[in-house]
Amino acid sequence: MSKPTRTWAAGLVSLILLQTAASVFLKRSFGLAALSDLLQLAMLLSAAASCLPSAFQTRGRTRLFWLLMSFGLTSWLSYQALWTYFEVVKRQEVPSLFTGDAILFLHIVPMMAALALQPSVEQHDRDLRLGSLDFALLLVWWVYLYLFAVIPWQYVFANQAAYAHNLNVSYLAEKLAFLTGLALLWSRSSGSWRTIYAHWFGASLLYSLSSYVANWALARDIYYSGSLYDLPLVVSMGWMAVPGLLAIKIPSEQTQGGRSLPRGVWAARLGMLAVFSLPIFACLSIFDAAVPPPVRTFRLVVTLGTMMLMGAMVFLKQHLLDIELIRLLRSSRQAFDELQLLQGQLVQSEKLASMGQLVGGAAHELNNPLTAILGYSELLSTTQLGAEQRVLSDKISRQAKRVRALVASLLSFAKQVPSTKAPLDLNSILKTALKLAQPEILGANVGISVHLTEPLPPVLGDANQLLQVFSHIINNAMNAMTAGGGFLHVATIVERSMAIVQFSDNGPGMLEPDRVFDPFYTTRPVGEGAGLGLSACYGIIQEHGGSIACRNNDAAGATFVIELPAMEQVAQYAEAHAAK
């Protein structure tokens, strides 16, 4: 505890000791009443001021909590100032029908609102917004209760006995509700907040009991200002400053891991009970024959006005709930779509993993006989052969090397052999693929349209693998064209730091575009394709950190879209991954 805080606490203890000495040694007099009133005024001023440092040094809900607490204590201070004005300045008894009693009753309302904020726990802004409407209903109900029970006997039909009785009962109910809220927060909080709630609960409980005892003494005409009955009141008022002083040393402490009260259950139910209680109060006003007609009329008017106000608040809450429900439904639908997409990708990955293991094992088994074939073909080429025999030997060597390259590609796809990546220009690879496919394009009578974005950002990849992907997609498009020919449009674009390659044809399209990358899925006749080509392309693009998709065009044909991350994006990802 800092030195100013210790000085502040010492001053409060000194004032309490002064009140104790005055109550014990001084007789009933104007001086004793003035001293007691001024000491209570100083205690409440200290309690209200103790909340301000935390209000200025915190933010968000915590700041609002301390401001509301300070406002409630300041309202109590203003009531005490009016009481002091009558007894000290005007030197007369406080009127029995005192207008300032409304301030005394309503000063707990902002303090209840402060408790509703629950600054000791983490909350979502949505819960705070919706829960605040429930507490607003309860706070309006407390104001209505004072207007219904107390005000008529003060202004409509003056009756001192009924006024005092209804005021005491209403104020007692309000203090019990406030103490219940403090007890709940105290039991569910931890750390420094638990200590703060405990002090506030103790001070409020002491004030409630001492005020009840003071009213008991007042009814028996044995109470006077400054008597021993005021001593526990002064102690409770000084105790009210302790939570604010304790909070000064933890201005930056936001939460302590406490458990939030089930706001959506008990607050909403209490709010609905408050709404449903209004017709009951109206019925009591109508059928209570002991109530004078002016009071009955006043109560009915106040009840109808409160019903309209609370009905508007319920409508606003329902409107906010509808908006929140629509937002949640949209989020759920989006999450469900993403889950389906993720599930499809997971199934595709599992298929590719299974196929990769199968292909990797087969490729390893093929390497041994291939090595023997290549060795024998090389030995054969060194012997004396005729011209026709040498041509056949060269064909054997070329085909064996071709098979070895295919096996190497299968091993790379199966991730058995790491591929070598380097910065590549996709436009150059795409031009090479089109040049290699030129004979098939001319034979199929297919027109080609090429639109390449220059310059295209480089990508990090394996040139042979990407050439294999482009060539396979072009060959698929050639096979899909009708006998009379067709048209193929090839383009490269840049979007969102991604290099994109598009292949669009005007063929018959795909029967199931979502399944074209599944292993062993093919639309060709039996014997003309095993359905592994597009699966291999899918695996290569995934291994490059990109994506490949197929969709049918609106008019005719299909479009394949390949997205690969540009070098800048790859470098940023690598830096972020290394930092993480």
mmCIF file of all heavy atoms in Angstrom, residues 437 440-441 444 446 468-482 488 503-510 516-517 521-524 528-537 548 550 558 560:
data_model
loop_
_atom_site.group_PDB
_atom_site.id
_atom_site.type_symbol
_atom_site.label_atom_id
_atom_site.label_comp_id
_atom_site.label_asym_id
_atom_site.label_seq_id
_atom_site.Cartn_x
_atom_site.Cartn_y
_atom_site.Cartn_z
ATOM 1 N N ALA A 437 3.149 -30.116 -77.462
ATOM 2 C CA ALA A 437 1.838 -30.652 -77.839
ATOM 3 C C ALA A 437 1.388 -30.197 -79.215
ATOM 4 O O ALA A 437 0.256 -30.478 -79.619
ATOM 5 C CB ALA A 437 0.801 -30.242 -76.795
ATOM 6 N N GLU A 440 -0.075 -32.938 -81.681
ATOM 7 C CA GLU A 440 -1.410 -33.385 -81.298
ATOM 8 C C GLU A 440 -2.447 -32.304 -81.559
ATOM 9 O O GLU A 440 -3.579 -32.599 -81.957
ATOM 10 C CB GLU A 440 -1.430 -33.785 -79.819
ATOM 11 C CG GLU A 440 -0.691 -35.076 -79.494
ATOM 12 C CD GLU A 440 0.795 -34.845 -79.346
ATOM 13 O OE1 GLU A 440 1.247 -33.693 -79.530
ATOM 14 O OE2 GLU A 440 1.521 -35.823 -79.058
ATOM 15 N N ILE A 441 -2.058 -31.035 -81.325
ATOM 16 C CA ILE A 441 -3.007 -29.933 -81.542
ATOM 17 C C ILE A 441 -3.383 -29.842 -83.017
ATOM 18 O O ILE A 441 -4.555 -29.684 -83.382
ATOM 19 C CB ILE A 441 -2.396 -28.608 -81.044
ATOM 20 C CG1 ILE A 441 -2.238 -28.646 -79.514
ATOM 21 C CG2 ILE A 441 -3.255 -27.429 -81.457
ATOM 22 C CD1 ILE A 441 -1.518 -27.453 -78.940
ATOM 23 N N ALA A 444 -5.628 -32.833 -84.064
ATOM 24 C CA ALA A 444 -6.988 -32.786 -83.540
ATOM 25 C C ALA A 444 -7.783 -31.612 -84.084
ATOM 26 O O ALA A 444 -8.952 -31.449 -83.725
ATOM 27 C CB ALA A 444 -6.954 -32.726 -82.015
ATOM 28 N N VAL A 446 -7.528 -28.388 -83.449
ATOM 29 C CA VAL A 446 -7.932 -27.569 -82.304
ATOM 30 C C VAL A 446 -7.271 -26.200 -82.429
ATOM 31 O O VAL A 446 -6.070 -26.096 -82.699
ATOM 32 C CB VAL A 446 -7.535 -28.244 -80.981
ATOM 33 C CG1 VAL A 446 -7.782 -27.307 -79.804
ATOM 34 C CG2 VAL A 446 -8.299 -29.540 -80.789
ATOM 35 N N GLN A 468 5.100 -31.561 -66.753
ATOM 36 C CA GLN A 468 4.267 -32.753 -66.821
ATOM 37 C C GLN A 468 2.804 -32.409 -66.556
ATOM 38 O O GLN A 468 1.898 -32.915 -67.234
ATOM 39 C CB GLN A 468 4.765 -33.780 -65.789
ATOM 40 C CG GLN A 468 3.897 -35.023 -65.675
ATOM 41 C CD GLN A 468 4.329 -35.910 -64.521
ATOM 42 O OE1 GLN A 468 5.443 -35.790 -64.032
ATOM 43 N NE2 GLN A 468 3.450 -36.789 -64.097
ATOM 44 N N VAL A 469 2.543 -31.537 -65.576
ATOM 45 C CA VAL A 469 1.163 -31.150 -65.254
ATOM 46 C C VAL A 469 0.523 -30.422 -66.429
ATOM 47 O O VAL A 469 -0.598 -30.748 -66.867
ATOM 48 C CB VAL A 469 1.141 -30.275 -63.984
ATOM 49 C CG1 VAL A 469 -0.249 -29.706 -63.756
ATOM 50 C CG2 VAL A 469 1.590 -31.082 -62.773
ATOM 51 N N PHE A 470 1.226 -29.417 -66.982
ATOM 52 C CA PHE A 470 0.661 -28.642 -68.086
ATOM 53 C C PHE A 470 0.412 -29.534 -69.310
ATOM 54 O O PHE A 470 -0.639 -29.435 -69.965
ATOM 55 C CB PHE A 470 1.594 -27.485 -68.451
ATOM 56 C CG PHE A 470 1.756 -26.463 -67.352
ATOM 57 C CD1 PHE A 470 2.835 -25.581 -67.352
ATOM 58 C CD2 PHE A 470 0.851 -26.386 -66.317
ATOM 59 C CE1 PHE A 470 2.990 -24.649 -66.353
ATOM 60 C CE2 PHE A 470 0.993 -25.447 -65.302
ATOM 61 C CZ PHE A 470 2.071 -24.586 -65.328
ATOM 62 N N SER A 471 1.372 -30.393 -69.608
ATOM 63 C CA SER A 471 1.218 -31.280 -70.775
ATOM 64 C C SER A 471 0.037 -32.223 -70.602
ATOM 65 O O SER A 471 -0.719 -32.470 -71.550
ATOM 66 C CB SER A 471 2.509 -32.070 -70.999
ATOM 67 O OG SER A 471 3.609 -31.209 -71.242
ATOM 68 N N HIS A 472 -0.129 -32.756 -69.410
ATOM 69 C CA HIS A 472 -1.227 -33.688 -69.185
ATOM 70 C C HIS A 472 -2.586 -32.993 -69.330
ATOM 71 O O HIS A 472 -3.520 -33.552 -69.930
ATOM 72 C CB HIS A 472 -1.110 -34.304 -67.791
ATOM 73 C CG HIS A 472 -2.091 -35.415 -67.558
ATOM 74 N ND1 HIS A 472 -1.875 -36.707 -67.986
ATOM 75 C CD2 HIS A 472 -3.319 -35.419 -66.965
ATOM 76 C CE1 HIS A 472 -2.916 -37.457 -67.665
ATOM 77 N NE2 HIS A 472 -3.802 -36.684 -67.035
ATOM 78 N N ILE A 473 -2.711 -31.777 -68.804
ATOM 79 C CA ILE A 473 -3.986 -31.069 -68.921
ATOM 80 C C ILE A 473 -4.271 -30.713 -70.377
ATOM 81 O O ILE A 473 -5.412 -30.817 -70.859
ATOM 82 C CB ILE A 473 -3.969 -29.811 -68.024
ATOM 83 C CG1 ILE A 473 -3.903 -30.224 -66.554
ATOM 84 C CG2 ILE A 473 -5.205 -28.958 -68.263
ATOM 85 C CD1 ILE A 473 -3.824 -29.072 -65.580
ATOM 86 N N ILE A 474 -3.240 -30.330 -71.129
ATOM 87 C CA ILE A 474 -3.440 -30.022 -72.552
ATOM 88 C C ILE A 474 -3.854 -31.274 -73.305
ATOM 89 O O ILE A 474 -4.790 -31.243 -74.136
ATOM 90 C CB ILE A 474 -2.155 -29.410 -73.142
ATOM 91 C CG1 ILE A 474 -1.882 -28.037 -72.510
ATOM 92 C CG2 ILE A 474 -2.257 -29.291 -74.653
ATOM 93 C CD1 ILE A 474 -0.547 -27.443 -72.913
ATOM 94 N N ASN A 475 -3.210 -32.403 -73.030
ATOM 95 C CA ASN A 475 -3.590 -33.663 -73.698
ATOM 96 C C ASN A 475 -5.009 -34.081 -73.342
ATOM 97 O O ASN A 475 -5.753 -34.579 -74.201
ATOM 98 C CB ASN A 475 -2.605 -34.769 -73.317
ATOM 99 C CG ASN A 475 -1.237 -34.556 -73.934
ATOM 100 O OD1 ASN A 475 -1.122 -33.937 -75.007
ATOM 101 N ND2 ASN A 475 -0.196 -35.039 -73.278
ATOM 102 N N ASN A 476 -5.404 -33.874 -72.087
ATOM 103 C CA ASN A 476 -6.781 -34.182 -71.698
ATOM 104 C C ASN A 476 -7.773 -33.341 -72.480
ATOM 105 O O ASN A 476 -8.831 -33.816 -72.903
ATOM 106 C CB ASN A 476 -6.971 -33.947 -70.200
ATOM 107 C CG ASN A 476 -6.657 -35.181 -69.384
ATOM 108 O OD1 ASN A 476 -6.198 -36.179 -69.933
ATOM 109 N ND2 ASN A 476 -6.888 -35.122 -68.090
ATOM 110 N N ALA A 477 -7.426 -32.052 -72.668
ATOM 111 C CA ALA A 477 -8.311 -31.178 -73.431
ATOM 112 C C ALA A 477 -8.402 -31.628 -74.888
ATOM 113 O O ALA A 477 -9.483 -31.592 -75.496
ATOM 114 C CB ALA A 477 -7.824 -29.729 -73.341
ATOM 115 N N MET A 478 -7.260 -32.070 -75.474
ATOM 116 C CA MET A 478 -7.281 -32.554 -76.848
ATOM 117 C C MET A 478 -8.200 -33.777 -76.977
ATOM 118 O O MET A 478 -8.987 -33.892 -77.931
ATOM 119 C CB MET A 478 -5.872 -32.933 -77.299
ATOM 120 C CG MET A 478 -4.852 -31.801 -77.308
ATOM 121 S SD MET A 478 -5.295 -30.429 -78.387
ATOM 122 C CE MET A 478 -5.810 -29.229 -77.154
ATOM 123 N N ASN A 479 -8.103 -34.702 -76.016
ATOM 124 C CA ASN A 479 -8.921 -35.915 -76.074
ATOM 125 C C ASN A 479 -10.400 -35.622 -75.850
ATOM 126 O O ASN A 479 -11.261 -36.361 -76.325
ATOM 127 C CB ASN A 479 -8.435 -36.921 -75.023
ATOM 128 C CG ASN A 479 -7.042 -37.434 -75.317
ATOM 129 O OD1 ASN A 479 -6.664 -37.600 -76.482
ATOM 130 N ND2 ASN A 479 -6.250 -37.688 -74.269
ATOM 131 N N ALA A 480 -10.691 -34.537 -75.117
ATOM 132 C CA ALA A 480 -12.086 -34.228 -74.831
ATOM 133 C C ALA A 480 -12.782 -33.521 -75.977
ATOM 134 O O ALA A 480 -14.018 -33.485 -76.029
ATOM 135 C CB ALA A 480 -12.182 -33.361 -73.569
ATOM 136 N N MET A 481 -12.011 -32.936 -76.903
ATOM 137 C CA MET A 481 -12.626 -32.230 -78.021
ATOM 138 C C MET A 481 -13.368 -33.219 -78.922
ATOM 139 O O MET A 481 -13.022 -34.393 -79.016
ATOM 140 C CB MET A 481 -11.545 -31.492 -78.840
ATOM 141 C CG MET A 481 -10.774 -30.453 -78.051
ATOM 142 S SD MET A 481 -11.776 -29.051 -77.553
ATOM 143 C CE MET A 481 -10.511 -28.051 -76.777
ATOM 144 N N THR A 482 -14.355 -32.724 -79.602
ATOM 145 C CA THR A 482 -15.118 -33.560 -80.542
ATOM 146 C C THR A 482 -14.292 -33.845 -81.786
ATOM 147 O O THR A 482 -13.225 -33.263 -82.002
ATOM 148 C CB THR A 482 -16.409 -32.834 -80.928
ATOM 149 O OG1 THR A 482 -16.071 -31.581 -81.532
ATOM 150 C CG2 THR A 482 -17.287 -32.578 -79.717
ATOM 151 N N LEU A 488 -9.148 -24.180 -77.510
ATOM 152 C CA LEU A 488 -8.510 -24.198 -76.193
ATOM 153 C C LEU A 488 -7.929 -22.816 -75.910
ATOM 154 O O LEU A 488 -7.173 -22.272 -76.721
ATOM 155 C CB LEU A 488 -7.399 -25.251 -76.135
ATOM 156 C CG LEU A 488 -6.592 -25.307 -74.823
ATOM 157 C CD1 LEU A 488 -7.479 -25.701 -73.657
ATOM 158 C CD2 LEU A 488 -5.406 -26.279 -74.962
ATOM 159 N N PHE A 503 -6.746 -23.199 -68.113
ATOM 160 C CA PHE A 503 -6.948 -23.937 -69.358
ATOM 161 C C PHE A 503 -8.457 -24.086 -69.559
ATOM 162 O O PHE A 503 -9.118 -24.759 -68.757
ATOM 163 C CB PHE A 503 -6.291 -25.326 -69.304
ATOM 164 C CG PHE A 503 -4.804 -25.305 -69.049
ATOM 165 C CD1 PHE A 503 -4.303 -25.281 -67.759
ATOM 166 C CD2 PHE A 503 -3.918 -25.296 -70.123
ATOM 167 C CE1 PHE A 503 -2.939 -25.278 -67.519
ATOM 168 C CE2 PHE A 503 -2.546 -25.294 -69.894
ATOM 169 C CZ PHE A 503 -2.058 -25.278 -68.596
ATOM 170 N N SER A 504 -9.005 -23.489 -70.601
ATOM 171 C CA SER A 504 -10.445 -23.557 -70.876
ATOM 172 C C SER A 504 -10.664 -24.119 -72.282
ATOM 173 O O SER A 504 -10.047 -23.653 -73.254
ATOM 174 C CB SER A 504 -11.088 -22.175 -70.771
ATOM 175 O OG SER A 504 -10.940 -21.645 -69.467
ATOM 176 N N ASP A 505 -11.534 -25.136 -72.370
ATOM 177 C CA ASP A 505 -11.883 -25.705 -73.680
ATOM 178 C C ASP A 505 -13.390 -25.643 -73.862
ATOM 179 O O ASP A 505 -14.136 -25.358 -72.920
ATOM 180 C CB ASP A 505 -11.389 -27.156 -73.787
ATOM 181 C CG ASP A 505 -12.037 -28.062 -72.757
ATOM 182 O OD1 ASP A 505 -13.260 -28.271 -72.834
ATOM 183 O OD2 ASP A 505 -11.321 -28.573 -71.853
ATOM 184 N N ASN A 506 -13.829 -25.888 -75.097
ATOM 185 C CA ASN A 506 -15.263 -25.882 -75.409
ATOM 186 C C ASN A 506 -15.765 -27.283 -75.723
ATOM 187 O O ASN A 506 -16.644 -27.473 -76.562
ATOM 188 C CB ASN A 506 -15.557 -24.945 -76.576
ATOM 189 C CG ASN A 506 -14.844 -25.367 -77.854
ATOM 190 O OD1 ASN A 506 -13.958 -26.230 -77.814
ATOM 191 N ND2 ASN A 506 -15.218 -24.773 -78.984
ATOM 192 N N GLY A 507 -15.195 -28.284 -75.041
ATOM 193 C CA GLY A 507 -15.627 -29.662 -75.225
ATOM 194 C C GLY A 507 -16.920 -29.954 -74.488
ATOM 195 O O GLY A 507 -17.658 -29.034 -74.088
ATOM 196 N N PRO A 508 -17.206 -31.234 -74.241
ATOM 197 C CA PRO A 508 -18.466 -31.596 -73.589
ATOM 198 C C PRO A 508 -18.479 -31.328 -72.088
ATOM 199 O O PRO A 508 -19.529 -31.419 -71.448
ATOM 200 C CB PRO A 508 -18.566 -33.103 -73.874
ATOM 201 C CG PRO A 508 -17.147 -33.552 -74.020
ATOM 202 C CD PRO A 508 -16.420 -32.407 -74.674
ATOM 203 N N GLY A 509 -17.335 -31.013 -71.502
ATOM 204 C CA GLY A 509 -17.300 -30.773 -70.064
ATOM 205 C C GLY A 509 -17.132 -32.059 -69.280
ATOM 206 O O GLY A 509 -16.990 -33.153 -69.838
ATOM 207 N N MET A 510 -17.160 -31.939 -67.955
ATOM 208 C CA MET A 510 -16.961 -33.065 -67.054
ATOM 209 C C MET A 510 -18.297 -33.508 -66.462
ATOM 210 O O MET A 510 -19.111 -32.666 -66.072
ATOM 211 C CB MET A 510 -15.996 -32.684 -65.916
ATOM 212 C CG MET A 510 -14.598 -32.340 -66.383
ATOM 213 S SD MET A 510 -13.725 -33.816 -66.955
ATOM 214 C CE MET A 510 -12.123 -33.100 -67.350
ATOM 215 N N VAL A 516 -12.656 -35.532 -60.552
ATOM 216 C CA VAL A 516 -11.670 -35.778 -61.608
ATOM 217 C C VAL A 516 -10.272 -36.041 -61.047
ATOM 218 O O VAL A 516 -9.442 -36.657 -61.721
ATOM 219 C CB VAL A 516 -11.622 -34.589 -62.601
ATOM 220 C CG1 VAL A 516 -12.928 -34.452 -63.336
ATOM 221 C CG2 VAL A 516 -11.255 -33.298 -61.868
ATOM 222 N N PHE A 517 -10.007 -35.578 -59.798
ATOM 223 C CA PHE A 517 -8.678 -35.783 -59.219
ATOM 224 C C PHE A 517 -8.608 -37.049 -58.361
ATOM 225 O O PHE A 517 -7.572 -37.319 -57.754
ATOM 226 C CB PHE A 517 -8.275 -34.565 -58.385
ATOM 227 C CG PHE A 517 -8.230 -33.285 -59.175
ATOM 228 C CD1 PHE A 517 -9.201 -32.306 -59.000
ATOM 229 C CD2 PHE A 517 -7.234 -33.060 -60.118
ATOM 230 C CE1 PHE A 517 -9.169 -31.145 -59.726
ATOM 231 C CE2 PHE A 517 -7.198 -31.892 -60.847
ATOM 232 C CZ PHE A 517 -8.168 -30.926 -60.659
ATOM 233 N N TYR A 521 -10.113 -42.645 -61.278
ATOM 234 C CA TYR A 521 -11.365 -42.152 -61.850
ATOM 235 C C TYR A 521 -11.091 -41.674 -63.269
ATOM 236 O O TYR A 521 -10.215 -40.824 -63.491
ATOM 237 C CB TYR A 521 -11.934 -41.005 -61.008
ATOM 238 C CG TYR A 521 -13.171 -40.367 -61.622
ATOM 239 C CD1 TYR A 521 -14.415 -40.957 -61.475
ATOM 240 C CD2 TYR A 521 -13.069 -39.196 -62.369
ATOM 241 C CE1 TYR A 521 -15.543 -40.389 -62.043
ATOM 242 C CE2 TYR A 521 -14.188 -38.622 -62.941
ATOM 243 C CZ TYR A 521 -15.423 -39.224 -62.779
ATOM 244 O OH TYR A 521 -16.535 -38.655 -63.347
ATOM 245 N N THR A 522 -11.817 -42.194 -64.243
ATOM 246 C CA THR A 522 -11.627 -41.807 -65.639
ATOM 247 C C THR A 522 -12.937 -41.950 -66.390
ATOM 248 O O THR A 522 -13.796 -42.767 -66.028
ATOM 249 C CB THR A 522 -10.536 -42.658 -66.301
ATOM 250 O OG1 THR A 522 -10.387 -42.248 -67.663
ATOM 251 C CG2 THR A 522 -10.905 -44.141 -66.275
ATOM 252 N N THR A 523 -13.097 -41.125 -67.413
ATOM 253 C CA THR A 523 -14.282 -41.205 -68.276
ATOM 254 C C THR A 523 -13.948 -41.834 -69.621
ATOM 255 O O THR A 523 -14.824 -41.931 -70.490
ATOM 256 C CB THR A 523 -14.862 -39.795 -68.502
ATOM 257 O OG1 THR A 523 -13.842 -38.961 -69.063
ATOM 258 C CG2 THR A 523 -15.337 -39.192 -67.198
ATOM 259 N N ARG A 524 -12.702 -42.248 -69.786
ATOM 260 C CA ARG A 524 -12.302 -42.861 -71.058
ATOM 261 C C ARG A 524 -12.715 -44.331 -71.076
ATOM 262 O O ARG A 524 -12.913 -44.953 -70.014
ATOM 263 C CB ARG A 524 -10.788 -42.748 -71.248
ATOM 264 C CG ARG A 524 -10.280 -41.313 -71.315
ATOM 265 C CD ARG A 524 -8.792 -41.311 -71.616
ATOM 266 N NE ARG A 524 -8.233 -39.973 -71.531
ATOM 267 C CZ ARG A 524 -6.973 -39.671 -71.775
ATOM 268 N NH1 ARG A 524 -6.122 -40.643 -72.102
ATOM 269 N NH2 ARG A 524 -6.538 -38.430 -71.692
ATOM 270 N N GLU A 528 -7.923 -47.294 -72.239
ATOM 271 C CA GLU A 528 -7.372 -46.046 -72.777
ATOM 272 C C GLU A 528 -6.865 -45.112 -71.687
ATOM 273 O O GLU A 528 -6.387 -44.035 -71.978
ATOM 274 C CB GLU A 528 -8.438 -45.317 -73.614
ATOM 275 C CG GLU A 528 -8.843 -46.081 -74.868
ATOM 276 C CD GLU A 528 -9.740 -45.243 -75.765
ATOM 277 O OE1 GLU A 528 -9.850 -44.023 -75.504
ATOM 278 O OE2 GLU A 528 -10.326 -45.796 -76.702
ATOM 279 N N GLY A 529 -7.011 -45.475 -70.442
ATOM 280 C CA GLY A 529 -6.520 -44.623 -69.360
ATOM 281 C C GLY A 529 -6.787 -45.264 -68.015
ATOM 282 O O GLY A 529 -7.836 -45.881 -67.814
ATOM 283 N N ALA A 530 -5.825 -45.100 -67.098
ATOM 284 C CA ALA A 530 -5.979 -45.699 -65.767
ATOM 285 C C ALA A 530 -6.546 -44.713 -64.748
ATOM 286 O O ALA A 530 -6.834 -45.080 -63.618
ATOM 287 C CB ALA A 530 -4.628 -46.218 -65.281
ATOM 288 N N GLY A 531 -6.680 -43.421 -65.107
ATOM 289 C CA GLY A 531 -7.215 -42.443 -64.169
ATOM 290 C C GLY A 531 -6.241 -41.984 -63.115
ATOM 291 O O GLY A 531 -6.642 -41.588 -62.024
ATOM 292 N N LEU A 532 -4.937 -42.065 -63.405
ATOM 293 C CA LEU A 532 -3.927 -41.636 -62.442
ATOM 294 C C LEU A 532 -3.287 -40.307 -62.807
ATOM 295 O O LEU A 532 -2.604 -39.710 -61.980
ATOM 296 C CB LEU A 532 -2.831 -42.700 -62.318
ATOM 297 C CG LEU A 532 -3.249 -44.031 -61.684
ATOM 298 C CD1 LEU A 532 -2.089 -45.012 -61.746
ATOM 299 C CD2 LEU A 532 -3.697 -43.829 -60.259
ATOM 300 N N GLY A 533 -3.488 -39.845 -64.037
ATOM 301 C CA GLY A 533 -2.794 -38.642 -64.501
ATOM 302 C C GLY A 533 -3.176 -37.407 -63.710
ATOM 303 O O GLY A 533 -2.308 -36.682 -63.194
ATOM 304 N N LEU A 534 -4.478 -37.124 -63.591
ATOM 305 C CA LEU A 534 -4.898 -35.932 -62.863
ATOM 306 C C LEU A 534 -4.620 -36.052 -61.371
ATOM 307 O O LEU A 534 -4.376 -35.048 -60.700
ATOM 308 C CB LEU A 534 -6.392 -35.672 -63.106
ATOM 309 C CG LEU A 534 -6.737 -35.144 -64.505
ATOM 310 C CD1 LEU A 534 -8.235 -34.981 -64.663
ATOM 311 C CD2 LEU A 534 -6.037 -33.804 -64.754
ATOM 312 N N SER A 535 -4.662 -37.280 -60.827
ATOM 313 C CA SER A 535 -4.284 -37.457 -59.426
ATOM 314 C C SER A 535 -2.817 -37.096 -59.222
ATOM 315 O O SER A 535 -2.447 -36.463 -58.225
ATOM 316 C CB SER A 535 -4.539 -38.897 -58.989
ATOM 317 O OG SER A 535 -5.921 -39.186 -59.001
ATOM 318 N N ALA A 536 -1.970 -37.508 -60.168
ATOM 319 C CA ALA A 536 -0.559 -37.133 -60.089
ATOM 320 C C ALA A 536 -0.388 -35.619 -60.189
ATOM 321 O O ALA A 536 0.418 -35.025 -59.468
ATOM 322 C CB ALA A 536 0.225 -37.839 -61.181
ATOM 323 N N CYS A 537 -1.143 -34.995 -61.087
ATOM 324 C CA CYS A 537 -1.086 -33.528 -61.205
ATOM 325 C C CYS A 537 -1.506 -32.865 -59.898
ATOM 326 O O CYS A 537 -0.888 -31.888 -59.447
ATOM 327 C CB CYS A 537 -1.988 -33.055 -62.344
ATOM 328 S SG CYS A 537 -1.453 -33.600 -63.979
ATOM 329 N N ILE A 548 -5.207 -26.858 -57.377
ATOM 330 C CA ILE A 548 -5.716 -27.102 -58.723
ATOM 331 C C ILE A 548 -7.192 -27.440 -58.592
ATOM 332 O O ILE A 548 -7.598 -28.172 -57.686
ATOM 333 C CB ILE A 548 -4.939 -28.236 -59.417
ATOM 334 C CG1 ILE A 548 -5.495 -28.467 -60.832
ATOM 335 C CG2 ILE A 548 -4.959 -29.510 -58.609
ATOM 336 C CD1 ILE A 548 -4.648 -29.420 -61.667
ATOM 337 N N CYS A 550 -11.142 -27.877 -60.908
ATOM 338 C CA CYS A 550 -11.812 -28.085 -62.197
ATOM 339 C C CYS A 550 -13.268 -27.679 -62.062
ATOM 340 O O CYS A 550 -13.914 -27.970 -61.042
ATOM 341 C CB CYS A 550 -11.700 -29.556 -62.616
ATOM 342 S SG CYS A 550 -12.643 -29.958 -64.109
ATOM 343 N N ALA A 558 -14.865 -27.292 -70.133
ATOM 344 C CA ALA A 558 -14.389 -27.286 -68.749
ATOM 345 C C ALA A 558 -13.188 -26.371 -68.622
ATOM 346 O O ALA A 558 -12.529 -26.035 -69.623
ATOM 347 C CB ALA A 558 -14.025 -28.702 -68.295
ATOM 348 N N PHE A 560 -9.687 -25.743 -66.138
ATOM 349 C CA PHE A 560 -8.766 -26.129 -65.072
ATOM 350 C C PHE A 560 -8.017 -24.877 -64.619
ATOM 351 O O PHE A 560 -7.494 -24.128 -65.464
ATOM 352 C CB PHE A 560 -7.768 -27.187 -65.556
ATOM 353 C CG PHE A 560 -8.334 -28.571 -65.624
ATOM 354 C CD1 PHE A 560 -9.055 -28.985 -66.741
ATOM 355 C CD2 PHE A 560 -8.162 -29.458 -64.575
ATOM 356 C CE1 PHE A 560 -9.593 -30.262 -66.808
ATOM 357 C CE2 PHE A 560 -8.692 -30.740 -64.638
ATOM 358 C CZ PHE A 560 -9.409 -31.147 -65.751
#
